[in-house]
């Protein structure tokens, strides 16, 4: 198994440019299937989840080409409405093709989506949303068949502000006859970015980023050029890395206003955080102060995707921090791995209590999902000595060259096969 070797224990200093957001790029890529056209997506991160979305578009008959951070997506020849089971199984976001395929062809065939193992991740809200627009959903032999001779307008109340269900509802609604009002919609910035792209295609959408999104369907759609918004979770990852190790960082091409609860915890912990234009700066002097309690919540609350990262940053903070995970039922897989470095963490159901320790020691550990893998890496960077991290394929799913970015800050990270640190 491929491993990263890390010699930790040093502060980090430098500047990193933030990439486009994975969670915005994925629904935008799905949206290109709604209408046969040519789309230029700038600032599209080079990560395996994006490559998988591109594979789905190609399996449906489209073409995707990358030049640097720009993807050209040609969906004029898309003619299939079945997402192959093998591609569905590879990531959760494959379910986002449901709305566009149903909108374009009046039918979509999918199977259960895969993705990070974070407990139960049903798609009932997605199916319910399209059913309310007139689709008939049939489950047969593991396949989910959705059909609608014509989608119609409606007002729907999501039982939970699910990010993916809000996106699927917006995608299908763009092609319906009538107006769809989505209440209790997710308010994440990536929802606004999807709406921005759909409007660039010609759609009419109001209220994205608020709890009520209104889509006036049936507008003529066409080619679009769009720049994906900065990745707030990649931003949080670098901030937490420097907060945990000490040092200072300037992140360019990013927007701290998209992650205010994360910045608040870091400020309360003693870090100096400052946004100047599109640069976000953080200075951290150790030891940090623990943070009392952190509860994950839908946007604008503390993001569940930053829970493991912040936990890694606060392992050596003075005092205790209680983390409560309210979005996913099994999102503490990193805890056991962080304990390998000497972290003191007790879990009870959806909470984890971190008691700050003075030292972490090097360890061998593995991340079993994207953010867990990043959290383990952040712990290794703090531990003086040589650590080995496994499960790095998860990092590549969501981070565009995280190793390179951290190395540019002075971190000593190498692939095990070419491991050679200076004495
Ligand atoms: C998206 C993000 C993911 C992030 C999550 C929460 C993408 C590609 N992924 O995932 O990084 O962690 O938002 O911010 O954007 N649920 C149901 N039924 C459904 C749908 C969801 O019960 O039909 C539940 C889920 O099991 C989970 C909760 O709702 O407990 C939140 O899920 P959701 O907001 O849908 O997350 P994703 O869109 O999968």
């Amino acid at each position: 198994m491929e491993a990263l070797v890390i010699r930790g224990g040093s502060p980090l200093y430098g500047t990193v440019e933030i990439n486009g957001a994975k969670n915005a790029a994925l629904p935008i890529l799905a949206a290109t299937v709604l209408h046969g056209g040519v789309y230029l997506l700038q600032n599209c991160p080079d990560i395996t989840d994006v490559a998988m979305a591109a594979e789905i578009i190609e399996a449906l008959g489209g073409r995707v080409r990358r030049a640097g951070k720009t993807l050209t997506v040609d969906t004029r020849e898309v003619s299939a409405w079945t997402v192959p089971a093998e591609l569905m199984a590879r990531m959760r976001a494959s379910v986002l093709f449901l709305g566009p395929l149903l909108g374009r062809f009046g039918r979509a065939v999918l199977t259960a989506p895969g993705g990070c193992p974070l407990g139960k991740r049903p798609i009932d809200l997605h199916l319910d949303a399209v059913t309310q627009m007139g689709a008939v959903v049939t489950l047969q032999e593991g396949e989910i068949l959705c059909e609608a001779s014509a989608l119609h307008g409606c007002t729907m109340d999501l039982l939970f502000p699910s990010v993916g269900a809000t996106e699927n509802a917006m995608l299908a609604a763009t092609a319906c006859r009538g107006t769809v009002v989505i209440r209790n919609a997710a308010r994440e910035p990536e929802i606004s970015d999807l709406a921005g792209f759909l409007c660039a295609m010609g759609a009419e959408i109001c209220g994205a980023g608020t709890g009520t999104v209104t889509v006036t369907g049936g507008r003529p759609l066409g080619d679009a050029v769009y720049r994906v918004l900065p990745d707030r979770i990649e931003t949080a990852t670098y901030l937490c890395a420097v907060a945990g190790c000490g040092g200072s960082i300037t992140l360019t091409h990013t927007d701290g206003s998209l992650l205010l609860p994360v910045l608040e915890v870091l400020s309360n912990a003693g870090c100096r955080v400052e946004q100047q234009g599109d640069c976000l700066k953080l200075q951290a002097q150790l030891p940090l102060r623990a943070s009392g309690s952190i509860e994950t919540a839908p946007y604008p609350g503390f993001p569940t995707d930053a829970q493991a990262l912040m936990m890694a940053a606060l392992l050596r903070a003075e005092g205790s921090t209680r983390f409560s995970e309210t979005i996913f039922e099994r999102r503490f897989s990193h805890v056991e791995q962080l304990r390998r470095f000497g972290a003191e963490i007790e879990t009870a159901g959806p909470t984890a209590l971190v008691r700050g320790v003075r030292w972490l020691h090097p360890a061998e550990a593995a991340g079993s999902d994207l953010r867990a893998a990043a959290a383990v890496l952040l712990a290794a960077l703090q531990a003086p000595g040589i650590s080995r991290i496994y499960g790095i394929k998860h990092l590549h799913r969501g981070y565009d060259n995280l190793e390179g970015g951290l190395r540019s800050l002075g971190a000593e990270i190498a692939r095990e096969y070419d491991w050679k640190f200076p004495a």
Side-chain angles (χ1 to χ4, degrees), residues 362-375:
E364 295 207 346
S368 58
D369 66 67
L370 169 59
R371 306 304 169 187

Side-chain angles (χ1 to χ4, degrees), residues 226-237:
Y226 197 74
R227 188 174 174 80
V228 176
L229 99 166
D231 196 317
R232 63 197 165 99
I233 306 301
E234 185 192 30
T235 304
T237 305

Side-chain angles (χ1 to χ4, degrees), residues 22-24 26-27 92-93 96 118 120-127 160-165 167 188 232 304-305 327-329 331 371:
K22 164 177 96 66
N23 289 353
L26 295 175
R92 167 85 181 169
L96 296 174
L118 307 175
K120 263 200 316 256
R121 292 183 83 177
I123 57 165
D124 53 323
L125 302 175
H126 300 244
L127 300 179
F160 178 84
S162 152
V163 174
E167 291 168 343
E188 269 69 1
R232 63 197 165 99
T304 174
D305 285 350
I327 306 293
F328 289 108
E329 63 169 8
R331 204 164 198 183
R371 306 304 169 187

Side-chain angles (χ1 to χ4, degrees), residues 52-411:
M52 282 189 236
E55 258 189 74
I56 293 178
I57 293 171
E58 297 200 323
L60 296 170
R63 271 170 64 94
V64 183
R65 293 289 169 268
R66 177 178 282 281
K69 302 281 178 195
T70 300
L71 287 191
T72 305
V73 185
D74 183 344
T75 57
R76 288 173 298 184
E77 303 287 316
V78 165
S79 55
W81 51 78
T82 300
V83 182
E86 184 253 319
L87 297 178
M88 281 299 302
R90 286 210 242 150
M91 71 168 172
R92 167 85 181 169
S94 50
V95 74
L96 296 174
F97 285 85
L98 166 65
L101 290 172
L102 194 57
R104 181 156 167 192
F105 298 112
R107 55 178 55 198
V109 181
L110 296 88
T111 47
C116 284
L118 307 175
K120 263 200 316 256
R121 292 183 83 177
I123 57 165
D124 53 323
L125 302 175
H126 300 244
L127 300 179
D128 196 46
V130 294
T131 304
Q132 291 195 51
M133 282 179 242
V136 176
V137 177
T138 320
L139 305 177
Q140 54 187 21
E141 291 167 18
E143 282 196 335
I144 305 160
L145 171 64
C146 300
E147 283 180 292
S149 49
L151 294 168
H152 57 68
C154 65
T155 296
M156 65 177 79
D157 291 277
L158 293 182
L159 285 175
F160 178 84
S162 152
V163 174
T166 303
E167 291 168 343
N168 246 331
M170 288 163 63
L171 289 159
T174 296
C176 85
R177 291 189 202 145
T179 298
V180 173
V181 181
I182 307 161
R183 296 199 296 217
N184 199 27
R187 292 180 280 167
E188 269 69 1
E190 294 76 19
I191 301 282
S192 309
D193 214 38
L194 172 62
F197 177 71
L198 289 169
C199 291
M201 287 173 78
E204 191 179 326
I205 301 175
C206 309
T210 74
T212 303
V213 180
T214 305
V215 183
T216 307
R219 294 279 181 259
L221 303 177
D223 300 355
V225 177
Y226 197 74
R227 188 174 174 80
V228 176
L229 99 166
D231 196 317
R232 63 197 165 99
I233 306 301
E234 185 192 30
T235 304
T237 305
Y238 282 106
L239 294 177
C240 289
V242 175
C245 292
S248 70
I249 188 166
T250 300
L251 296 168
T252 65
H253 296 85
T254 192
D255 180 357
S257 73
L258 305 179
L259 64 160
L260 292 177
V262 172
L263 301 189
E264 192 184 329
V265 172
L266 291 170
S267 299
N268 291 340
C271 300
R272 273 184 54 187
V273 190
E274 201 186 341
Q275 180 88 36
Q276 287 174 351
D278 74 349
C279 290
L280 183 60
K281 298 180 177 218
L282 176 134
Q283 271 186 333
Q285 198 149 18
L286 302 184
L288 299 181
R289 286 189 296 275
S291 198
S293 88
I294 296 173
E295 185 171 296
T296 62
Y299 193 86
F302 191 94
T304 174
D305 285 350
Q307 177 254 110
L309 308 167
M310 189 59 79
M311 192 179 292
L314 296 176
L315 294 176
R316 293 187 295 161
E318 285 179 334
S320 304
T321 309
R322 183 180 302 278
F323 289 84
S324 304
E325 174 56 57
T326 72
I327 306 293
F328 289 108
E329 63 169 8
R330 262 207 313 269
R331 204 164 198 183
F332 283 139
S333 69
H334 44 286
V335 165
E336 195 191 323
Q337 303 299 315
L338 296 176
R339 286 192 191 120
R340 294 177 174 224
F341 295 88
E344 276 189 24
I345 312 172
E346 253 173 58
T347 53
T351 67
L353 181 69
V354 178
R355 288 197 184 84
V357 291
R358 289 191 69 170
W359 305 104
L360 294 178
H361 54 72
E364 295 207 346
S368 58
D369 66 67
L370 169 59
R371 306 304 169 187
V376 169
L377 174 55
L378 266 48
L381 289 171
Q382 298 173 46
I386 303 282
S387 293
R388 273 187 178 71
I389 304 300
Y390 299 91
I392 58 177
K393 69 168 197 257
H394 297 294
L395 288 176
H396 300 144
R397 283 195 39 212
Y399 289 103
D400 187 336
N401 195 19
L402 180 61
E403 293 156 57
L406 290 168
R407 255 188 235 118
S408 76
L409 301 174

